[in-house]
Amino acid sequence: MALLCSCLARIPQLQTEPMTSRSALILALVLPLVLATSHRAEAWSSHGHRVVGHLAEFELTDTAREQVRELLGEDRNLGDVGPWADWVRDDRPATAPLHYINGPTDRLVPREADFELEEGNVHSAILGYARQLADTDRSERERREALKFLVHFIGDLHQPLHAGFAEDRGGNTIAAVYRGELISLHRYWDHDILAPRMARFDARAHAGFLHGQHAELFGDALDAGNPRDWVIEARGYLFAGLYPMTRVDEPVEEIDGPLPVLDEAYRAVWLPVAERQLARAGARLAATLNALFEDDSSPFRASPVEMPPAP
């Protein structure tokens, strides 16, 4: 409970009002149960990761498309492999830190030490696996896995809470009310924010919708840019209202104090941001693969750390 309150207080958008001692005690007891039963952090869920892969496929050059086909096989595509890194994480615990990057709660740009953690992070993973994919001296298996990791981690980095704060575990310890239930903020962004689209589209159709809605990111404008800038861009949303305001008119059973609320007004503001981030991820993935396969080299600098070896 102390961690929750301290994290809320350190983000400008989350100035909380005092709870009654009884409500504070109940929340302290309930919150661990919420976190224990929440989905494990999977940025954008499998659906979102598939969307990113399918978006990239719209923009691959002939060379990149052929290289992807050779690595994945005729029956698989970038959308299919988008969630793969989540599927293997339990068997490869050394890859767990590669799904996110943390930074300070009082400044937008992470410190150099945050970018260069010895255990790695999502930023160094993108740099490292791009290099492995471009290295034709590596085995086909290594390059195939590098491609699958790259697809996934570019998607991860564009979910803002995967570029968040260690103090609240990327929003995992922020309890909020969603449709009368207490869930973590991270779970909402991973699974619930896209719910209206998931009810309407499968991943391929959703990608087609976003490709049209965000056409300015694609075609001649396609540009991989710099993954360090992607981190800063994603973190900008954390300081611009992504953490929901507390309210007292959304009661949760047995808790009468104010809590952050994830209502349809919140979704109306942040669903367009989430979808633009998906579109950016797809565009940047395509630009990365096009540059990499056309030039036989990574468009990014070397990673400051080594990638975990395959089992």
Side-chain angles (χ1 to χ4, degrees), residues 230-291:
W230 309 348
V231 174
I232 298 167
E233 176 184 73
R235 284 177 57 80
Y237 295 116
L238 308 181
F239 294 92
L242 183 146
Y243 279 74
M245 298 293 292
T246 58
R247 292 206 335 231
V248 296
D249 60 338
E250 287 281 348
V252 174
E253 186 176 356
E254 296 297 325
I255 298 175
D256 57 12
L259 286 169
V261 177
L262 300 163
D263 57 12
E264 291 308 306
Y266 179 89
R267 195 198 308 271
V269 172
W270 291 101
L271 176 57
V273 172
E275 291 196 305
R276 186 165 183 82
Q277 285 296 96
L278 287 172
R280 282 171 169 157
R284 289 164 176 167
L285 173 59
T288 298
L289 296 178
N290 289 343

Side-chain angles (χ1 to χ4, degrees), residues 154-173:
I154 288 179
D156 271 352
L157 181 48
H158 286 78
Q159 203 273 57
L161 288 168
H162 279 247
F165 310 120
E167 288 83 353
D168 66 12
R169 294 177 52 219
N172 272 295
T173 62

Side-chain angles (χ1 to χ4, degrees), residues 84 125 128-134 138 140-153:
W84 177 82
Y129 285 116
R131 287 290 179 113
Q132 287 192 11
L133 179 57
R138 289 183 176 270
E140 183 175 307
R141 181 199 174 190
E142 287 178 303
R143 296 184 68 226
R144 181 184 305 112
E145 292 197 350
L147 173 60
K148 293 190 286 187
F149 276 128
L150 189 61
V151 174
H152 186 91
F153 291 139

